[in-house]
Amino acid sequence: MPSRILLVEDDPVFRELTASTLEHAGYEVSVAENGARGLEMAKVESYHAIIVDLMMPRMHGFEVIQRLREHHQTFRTPILVYSAKIYESDQRKAISLGADGFLQKPVSTDSLRAALDNALSCVKVTFWGVRGSVAAPGPDTVRYGGNTPCVTVDYAGRTLILDAGTGIRKLGLVLQAEARDNPLEVDLLITHTHWDHIQGFPYFVPAYLPQNTVRVFGPRSLSKPLDKVLRGQMDPEYFPVALGDMAGKIIVEDVRDEVISLGEFQVTHTFMNHPGVTLGYRIQVGGVSIAYATDTEVFSRMLQHTMADKAQAEGLGRSMDDDLATLVDGVDLYIGDAQYTPEEYKVKVGWGHSSCEDAVRLATHAGAKRFALFSHDPMQDDDAVDRKVEQCKRLVSELGGHTEVFGAYEGQTVSLRPDAPSHAD
Ligand SMILES: [Zn+2]
């Protein structure tokens, strides 16, 4: 199936020329004659990539990019800026608004194909829910978001979902809108079955449509297989629809193999320090690696509080943290448990979550290129999360590390490419 491209260009000569170049290169093309029209079209149809001219009547390209990034249907669609005059300051501005690349007019078939291949082949990580423990919506959490864990990794038209917290509800709507009536196949990895990681599943719309297939993987819990736990949360006492009554094909499997191969995605796992059975995942895809370890307590810090012999606690803790450090080793992006501030952690030792500073220390030592502070505590408002992020950035520079730290927020998309600097939109 050819990739569908939307070309937003006001100049009729360039519009026709570029559209025919795109068609010649094998793409299916729709055209919009101005920014406002392009935005309208992108909201109702779904496209694999959007090419936007900068100087246009009614709405210039910068505003189009900004609006596309704000809309749920287009906030992760690759956008290429297309202009005759591409100044560095314009490029920086467009990138900061969320553009993925640039094309110089007039564009040749080869450079167009290369730019689109590059935009379409990058790995995109999107955050749909970043809150730990329980959903915490409200005016104090609007910037980072109140939904519980759900993250997607997109590559070459395939979506891998990490956890089914309440953030998966909106993801389901977006995936279904993108797929229209075509069958949708998605894979979902569950880290563990605490409420905040599975509670959104009954609200995942694609699971209700007969043409769709949802494969779910996760650990067998202490006493039952994953399938039974997911069915349990949809017992009639808790929810009006049983899992077996969802019309989609739902396949639930306990994680047993060392490596799960899902097309181009290779997934390995390790056990976390968290009550019950909890997994952390490492995903290798499109030449990049991502570690996802949302609920885990750094052993070395925990033992400092629970063992009398501090030196022994330090040594033992470090060796017990080795598995997590191996999971995170050199990854392009680590999405990790940074639930508490060091002060909050002191009264929550043994709760199965980490202080942000311990987490960032581990990420820095393991050489993670970027660390997304994740699983924000429901007691933390937006300003508190800001302070936590700043504290962690300072720590990385004190440690002389190179890990780039940011606080994951709902609706954020991070583009990753092999051997190239990545950027958070
Ligand atoms: Zn948990």
Side-chain angles (χ1 to χ4, degrees), residues 113-136:
R113 195 181 274 146
L116 278 170
D117 280 354
N118 195 25
L120 293 171
S121 68
C122 84
V123 175
K124 289 214 165 197
V125 177
T126 305
F127 296 94
W128 304 86
V130 299
R131 191 67 54 177
S133 303
V134 70

Side-chain angles (χ1 to χ4, degrees), residues 294-322:
T294 67
D295 288 37
T296 196
E297 187 166 359
V298 172
F299 275 112
S300 45
R301 177 70 57 194
M302 186 184 86
L303 297 182
Q304 291 284 329
H305 287 270
T306 55
M307 285 175 68
D309 185 334
K310 301 299 174 208
Q312 199 185 12
E314 173 77 26
L316 189 61
R318 271 179 197 273
S319 74
M320 291 168 83
D321 284 328
D322 271 356

Side-chain angles (χ1 to χ4, degrees), residues 201-258:
F201 190 74
Y203 298 89
F204 185 55
V205 164
Y208 288 88
L209 298 175
Q211 71 270 31
N212 296 338
T213 305
V214 183
R215 276 180 301 266
V216 190
F217 302 86
R220 184 189 160 88
S221 79
L222 294 172
S223 58
K224 20 177 134 87
L226 177 65
D227 180 70
K228 221 167 176 185
V229 181
L230 292 181
R231 283 177 193 282
Q233 81 156 346
M234 295 175 78
D235 272 353
E237 288 84 0
Y238 308 116
F239 197 73
V241 183
L243 190 133
D245 291 338
M246 290 171 129
K249 189 171 179 204
I250 319 277
I251 304 157
V252 184
E253 285 182 32
D254 292 343
V255 170
R256 294 194 188 281
D257 298 334
E258 234 167 77

Side-chain angles (χ1 to χ4, degrees), residues 54-55 62 65 81 85-97 99 102:
L54 284 182
M55 293 306 127
F62 294 109
I65 296 168
V81 170
K85 53 174 191 66
I86 302 179
Y87 295 111
E88 214 184 308
S89 56
D90 286 351
Q91 291 200 11
R92 270 202 303 274
K93 182 71 192 160
I95 284 282
S96 75
L97 292 171
F102 297 90

